[in-house]
Amino acid sequence: MTILVHPEGQQIVAGTFNSVGLMVFDRAQNPLETNGIQLVTGDGDQVQSNIQTNELGQGRFVFFADPTKSYSIKIKDSNGVWVTKKLENKFHQGIGISVDNTAKEVVVLTPKWSKPDLNSRKGTRFSMAIFNHVSRSFVYRHEIEGDSISISIDRYQIPSGINMAVILDEEMQPISQRMFFNGRTTSKKVHSVEANYCLTKEQDSLQLDVILPEGHKMANLSMSVLPANSSAYLPNNSIASSFLVQPYLENQLVKGSYFFDGTHRSKDYQMDTRLLMEGTEKFNKFRSMDIQNTLYEMEKNIAFIGKILDADLKSEKQVSVMSQTLGTINLFDLSKDKNFKGNLPLFEGDSILVSILDEKGKLRKPKAELYFDDYNGYSFEYAKWLADISQVEPEAMLLEIDEDLDLAERTILLDEVVVTERAKQANKFQITTEIEGRIIDNGTLSRYPSLISYIQRLGFQIRHNDKDGGVGVYVSDPPYLARVPVLIEGVPVNPGQLMSMPLSVVKSMVYNRYVTPHQGPFISLSVRYDYDELYGRERFMGIAVPKGFSRTQSYFNPNYPDYTSFMYKRYGAIWWESQLEVNSEIPHTITIPLNEQKRVLIIIEGMSANGILYHTEQICTPFENNYSAN
């Protein structure tokens, strides 16, 4: 059994009342819910006998810390044997902070002193404060003396969400600190989504209608559909705790939705117990953190600055910048020093196309530089390689390597500029002794029109597969041939797709031709988003985006062989939708295959444009309703 003890303010102060949080786990490290925990002295005297823990294994008790005594926690294990954990032997002689966060309208701060320290520090100035991490400032501060009593602060004077109560010395250094969550209203912090369901006419799929509560405008949601007893959905925190609490904790907030389910005051108390147990150094961390990240704010998209090196300022006044993914054209003014700047919604692995306009609106390809970030002096100096243009196509494969290279060593400048993790002008990489990587450049495309012809050149053998209407890939494994799996972005390619695939679709490939005891042969392909000719490329200079927003990923169904198997019911996934736009007027309808499941679990989470959070978990039993969709 494991018993973890966390005093409020990270220390037990001698000669005063202290709140102490505890976590209890059984031998299998599962949380233990019980009401029989005891607090006893070293002499065996019982101080408390009914300390409780909830289903998360967390509890809380208050006791007067007599510095002349020692204390222990006692709890019975599953075999009825008492397990004992001693509290710290030496209590803190000093000052700490206590927070009462249970009242509806106020938060109460109380300094707690040890008597020897109180007598020795007469005339020493301390202050008790509430610090908010967002504004990085004190929203409340109060000078305290040795005989200070509790201070009550109206909740509406304190920002909602996470705040820090702290005791400071004369030099504004934290002595004791305590995190707490300020909920300024009794209304729901997290809202539910209404999900109605029925069988389809064929009774092999679930028709699900999702709608927001009345009066809510629109929200972007994601949905997971799992077998009812699945253990596949194991997040340490829900979307509620992710946004409201998790970013400020040292440890994961396990089962985060537990604390935000409904408006029960008991859940607020248990949230406060969890935050009481947080560690030290939060105050200094919050005060020093830089929250002014203007380059990558979602509201402002991704910022960049650029320069047209060969601009003729007499006739060329504007720059045209186009996002390859979105295909929209944006115009930016060119300053007297040939610079321009702007913001665009750019994706990781994307490219932007830069051209310059003359007074008549004619476009021409410029010599351009573009900076997406400040790399401590290592800027994207594309002009250094303008005379040394390579044939490598955009979005070259990124390879992990052990050594750190500065930016100049990781950058290639070409007609379409590429950022890679290797020296420039290389399209072949030896990853291990058996595994190689190649970037498909223009020279390769001119020699090999199809993927099949190219991999044959690399030593793979092709055999027709009449049964599946395509071809298979093999390597020699005497006295037989070994089948080589071919994957595109991790998804197996079927024989028919292999036969007709042009090489121009492929951006890069990683492959192994050898059969070894620990590694079989394979071909892994990465496709390009822009294999067709782009926007009259002769008039644009293309620059790759080194950082950007993540692309939305499609859910890959792994095609489990048996939907009735234990593995599928425990770890399988039926469906996933990453982007559902749902409102409160018209239900969003989606049809989901049941995959032979009688009961399924749906998990819906998301957020509205004005920051309202949604979380719903629901078991669907469509066969018990005895009705189907028309």
Side-chain angles (χ1 to χ4, degrees):
M1 186 178 295
T2 302
I3 304 173
L4 304 177
V5 178
H6 303 273
E8 181 178 33
Q10 298 83 50
Q11 54 201 10
I12 296 177
V13 179
T16 187
F17 284 94
N18 291 262
S19 290
V20 178
L22 73 158
M23 300 284 291
V24 183
F25 302 92
D26 63 18
R27 293 183 180 183
Q29 294 302 302
N30 297 314
L32 184 62
E33 183 176 9
T34 182
N35 60 1
I37 303 175
Q38 298 182 5
L39 177 67
V40 297
T41 66
D43 298 329
D45 297 331
Q46 193 175 90
V47 181
Q48 292 188 35
S49 61
N50 60 346
I51 301 171
Q52 300 179 1
T53 57
N54 60 15
E55 63 186 81
L56 303 182
Q58 75 173 38
R60 180 175 178 177
F61 63 93
V62 179
F63 80 110
F64 185 88
D66 187 336
T68 65
K69 296 180 180 181
S70 62
Y71 296 86
S72 297
I73 298 290
K74 291 182 63 177
I75 182 172
K76 280 186 179 180
D77 65 11
S78 58
N79 298 320
V81 178
W82 285 99
V83 177
T84 302
K85 179 179 178 62
K86 287 186 177 181
L87 300 186
E88 59 184 272
N89 292 327
K90 292 184 179 180
F91 298 147
H92 179 68
Q93 298 290 339
I95 183 173
I97 191 166
S98 178
V99 178
D100 185 347
N101 193 28
T102 59
K104 289 184 178 181
E105 303 296 333
V106 297
V107 176
V108 181
L109 307 184
T110 305
K112 49 185 181 179
W113 299 80
S114 60
K115 288 186 177 180
D117 193 76
L118 179 61
N119 296 329
S120 65
R121 293 203 183 192
K122 286 185 177 180
T124 304
R125 298 178 60 185
F126 293 95
S127 58
M128 189 163 52
I130 292 177
F131 179 82
N132 182 258
H133 69 278
V134 175
S135 62
R136 291 195 296 174
S137 62
F138 296 107
V139 294
Y140 177 85
R141 190 168 167 222
H142 178 78
E143 298 291 332
I144 58 175
E145 300 291 340
D147 56 352
S148 290
I149 59 175
S150 300
I151 306 296
S152 297
I153 303 120
D154 190 328
R155 285 194 182 278
Y156 285 88
Q157 297 178 11
I158 308 171
S160 293
I162 292 291
N163 291 273
M164 180 71 69
V166 61
I167 297 283
L168 303 163
D169 63 15
E170 293 178 322
E171 298 179 352
M172 297 296 289
Q173 294 301 312
I175 297 173
S176 180
Q177 51 192 293
R178 156 84 144 86
M179 188 180 290
F180 69 95
F181 186 90
N182 184 38
R184 298 196 296 191
T185 175
T186 58
S187 63
K188 285 188 176 182
K189 303 179 183 69
V190 181
H191 294 261
S192 297
V193 179
E194 184 177 346
N196 298 310
Y197 63 90
C198 63
L199 283 172
T200 59
K201 187 176 182 180
E202 295 77 12
Q203 297 197 347
D204 61 355
S205 299
L206 187 74
Q207 179 179 308
L208 191 65
D209 296 329
V210 182
I211 193 168
L212 296 186
E214 185 177 355
H216 293 225
K217 294 183 178 180
M218 196 275 287
N220 291 298
L221 307 176
S222 68
M223 179 179 69
S224 302
V225 183
L226 310 169
N229 297 322
S230 174
S231 298
Y233 187 79
L234 295 173
N236 285 321
N237 46 280
S238 70
I239 188 171
S241 63
S242 296
F243 277 83
L244 299 176
V245 177
Q246 187 59 62
Y248 320 110
L249 304 186
E250 289 180 352
N251 300 311
Q252 290 284 4
L253 185 63
V254 178
K255 199 176 180 181
S257 58
Y258 172 88
F259 299 101
F260 299 101
D261 183 15
T263 58
H264 303 298
R265 297 291 296 165
S266 64
K267 294 297 181 71
D268 292 338
Y269 176 80
Q270 297 195 47
M271 165 68 82
D272 192 62
T273 299
R274 173 63 182 83
L275 296 179
L276 174 150
M277 295 188 284
E278 272 301 301
T280 59
E281 298 304 323
K282 288 291 189 304
F283 172 76
N284 286 335
K285 176 183 175 183
F286 288 152
R287 202 161 62 154
S288 62
M289 66 188 294
D290 182 10
I291 61 171
Q292 305 299 322
N293 185 5
T294 58
L295 287 174
Y296 291 90
E297 286 184 358
M298 287 293 293
E299 294 82 359
K300 297 183 179 180
N301 298 311
I302 290 181
F304 59 85
I305 58 174
K307 187 171 187 176
I308 305 299
L309 302 175
D310 59 346
D312 182 358
L313 296 178
K314 293 181 180 179
S315 59
E316 296 174 330
K317 306 293 184 182
Q318 283 189 314
V319 178
S320 170
V321 177
M322 181 188 304
S323 167
Q324 181 175 310
T325 297
L326 300 179
T328 55
I329 296 176
N330 299 268
L331 298 178
F332 301 96
D333 292 331
L334 199 62
S335 65
K336 293 181 180 180
D337 55 3
K338 303 183 180 182
N339 292 330
F340 64 96
K341 62 181 179 179
N343 297 275
L344 286 176
L346 302 175
F347 292 89
E348 187 176 6
D350 195 4
S351 294
I352 60 176
L353 307 176
V354 181
S355 187
I356 190 166
L357 290 78
D358 62 15
E359 293 174 335
K360 298 180 180 180
K362 184 179 179 180
L363 298 171
R364 75 166 179 88
K365 182 176 180 178
K367 294 180 179 180
E369 292 180 353
L370 206 61
Y371 306 86
F372 298 98
D373 206 340
D374 178 10
Y375 286 91
N376 300 320
Y378 292 114
S379 59
F380 292 93
E381 297 179 351
Y382 299 127
K384 289 185 177 180
W385 298 291
L386 281 174
D388 191 17
I389 293 176
S390 169
Q391 294 296 316
V392 181
E393 277 298 298
E395 297 185 84
M397 176 180 60
L398 298 180
L399 299 173
E400 294 183 359
I401 56 175
D402 295 331
E403 66 272 15
D404 286 332
L405 304 177
D406 64 40
L407 192 66
E409 291 175 300
R410 313 193 256 114
T411 308
I412 304 175
L413 178 80
L414 358 136
D415 180 53
E416 185 89 8
V417 175
V418 183
V419 178
T420 76
E421 293 292 336
R422 282 287 182 175
K424 52 186 179 293
Q425 303 225 19
N427 65 350
K428 177 180 177 182
F429 306 97
Q430 196 71 40
I431 300 173
T432 69
T433 54
E434 294 94 12
I435 300 175
E436 294 184 29
R438 289 180 182 250
I439 298 170
I440 308 303
D441 57 23
N442 283 340
T444 304
L445 292 177
S446 65
R447 293 191 295 271
Y448 306 102
S450 68
L451 172 66
I452 292 300
S453 61
Y454 182 60
I455 62 178
Q456 282 181 303
R457 168 65 178 79
L458 297 178
F460 293 95
Q461 300 184 38
I462 305 300
R463 297 289 186 272
H464 284 278
N465 186 334
D466 296 330
K467 179 181 178 181
D468 296 324
V471 295
V473 182
Y474 301 85
V475 293
S476 177
D477 183 21
Y480 307 105
L481 292 177
R483 184 71 177 268
V484 179
V486 181
L487 304 98
I488 294 182
E489 309 290 1
V491 181
V493 183
N494 63 57
Q497 188 179 0
L498 269 179
M499 177 178 282
S500 59
M501 182 179 296
L503 187 58
S504 57
V505 175
V506 180
K507 173 179 65 176
S508 59
M509 63 182 288
V510 177
Y511 62 92
N512 176 27
R513 291 194 301 265
Y514 306 102
V515 181
T516 64
H518 61 278
Q519 175 70 62
F522 68 89
I523 297 175
S524 180
L525 305 176
S526 179
V527 298
R528 64 176 77 251
Y529 295 96
D530 60 330
Y531 64 87
D532 55 348
E533 192 66 23
L534 286 172
Y535 314 113
R537 184 173 293 180
E538 70 279 357
R539 296 192 299 273
F540 290 87
M541 177 182 180
I543 298 176
V545 178
K547 295 181 181 179
F549 301 127
S550 297
R551 298 178 186 273
T552 302
Q553 299 295 319
S554 300
Y555 171 69
F556 164 57
N557 184 347
N559 295 322
Y560 297 92
D562 184 0
Y563 295 130
T564 63
S565 68
F566 169 82
M567 289 296 292
Y568 181 76
K569 291 181 178 180
R570 181 60 61 88
Y571 302 109
I574 299 173
W575 198 262
W576 178 57
E577 287 283 335
S578 62
Q579 286 188 329
L580 297 175
E581 289 192 359
V582 181
N583 58 48
S584 59
E585 299 177 358
I586 302 175
H588 183 98
T589 301
I590 185 170
T591 301
I592 299 158
L594 285 172
N595 293 353
E596 304 179 32
Q597 307 303 304
K598 299 299 182 183
R599 301 168 69 244
V600 299
L601 168 66
I602 61 169
I603 301 168
I604 303 172
E605 291 191 322
M607 183 184 235
S608 69
N610 58 349
I612 295 176
L613 300 175
Y614 297 89
H615 176 91
T616 294
E617 295 187 28
Q618 180 176 329
I619 294 288
C620 298
T621 55
F623 289 95
E624 298 177 8
N625 295 329
N626 297 321
Y627 64 88
S628 303
N630 295 326

